Amino acid sequence: GIFGCPRVDQYVWIDEHKAVKVKSIVGRDDVKLYNPITRKFNRLVSATILPDQPLFKFVTGMGYESIVSRSHKVITNTADKVGIALQNYGVGRECLSFDEGKDGKVKNWNIYGDHVLEMSDAGVGDVVEITLATEFIYACGSTKKGGHVAHNLKEPDDFPI
């Protein structure tokens, strides 16, 4: 199946202080990604580059931008366990944003109820298909300062027609 797919240059958080470009976790088996809702790290099962995928850019009300595959699922609130595929989303829909907080430690991040401010086509590009062992929720974004909360499992209706 198709999983949560940030563009290769987007950031994910792999330990207490470290955001890395998602392409750097491809092929690794020693990585855990951070879930900002449970404040736990979850083991990465696999990360694979998928070339030439249709992309969306979205910007949250807090100003955090992400460039991801159209089937990428955005978590809407702290009770949401599955998210909604970006291609089924719209401007004004709720999402969760985070920032690094006062000391930069992920466990002290601030989590915000937010909304999608802008959405646009971002052309075609390479993404990283992420598979997590448990919880399936992780943080990603275009900057090390903050971003949005995503889900990596997809349902059949999440795929472009």
Side-chain angles (χ1 to χ4, degrees):
I2 302 295
F3 297 88
C5 297
R7 194 171 68 181
V8 293
D9 63 347
Q10 302 296 285
Y11 289 96
V12 293
W13 281 258
I14 63 169
D15 70 26
E16 188 69 22
H17 294 283
K18 191 167 185 181
V20 297
K21 294 206 176 195
V22 69
K23 67 183 172 188
S24 73
I25 68 171
V26 171
R28 291 180 59 183
D29 62 1
D30 62 337
V31 173
K32 292 182 178 180
L33 297 186
Y34 187 64
N35 177 338
I37 297 172
T38 62
R39 300 187 184 269
K40 295 179 182 173
F41 288 88
N42 298 295
R43 186 176 61 81
L44 178 72
V45 173
S46 68
T48 307
I49 292 179
L50 300 178
D52 304 323
Q53 300 298 305
L55 301 171
F56 269 145
K57 175 175 103 171
F58 77 99
V59 181
T60 72
M62 304 267 322
Y64 293 115
E65 174 185 296
S66 295
I67 300 173
V68 296
S69 65
R70 294 173 183 253
S71 62
H72 181 82
K73 280 192 168 182
V74 176
I75 295 294
T76 58
N77 58 59
T78 56
D80 183 358
K81 303 284 191 251
V82 295
I84 297 173
L86 197 55
Q87 68 195 22
N88 299 328
Y89 235 59
V91 171
R93 292 292 298 265
E94 70 179 328
C95 65
L96 276 182
S97 288
F98 63 87
D99 67 29
E100 63 181 351
K102 61 181 179 246
D103 63 4
K105 290 183 179 179
V106 294
K107 292 187 178 179
N108 296 324
W109 277 358
N110 299 308
I111 306 293
Y112 302 98
D114 202 352
H115 66 283
V116 175
L117 184 64
E118 299 174 30
M119 284 180 63
S120 59
D121 188 303
V124 173
D126 296 350
V127 298
V128 176
E129 179 185 68
I130 293 171
T131 307
L132 296 172
T134 59
E135 290 184 357
F136 314 116
I137 293 173
Y138 66 101
C140 71
S142 294
T143 173
K144 293 181 178 185
K145 298 287 184 190
H148 76 284
V149 183
H151 191 280
N152 78 305
L153 292 179
K154 303 291 174 256
E155 301 299 329
D157 63 351
D158 294 331
F159 302 118
I161 296 173

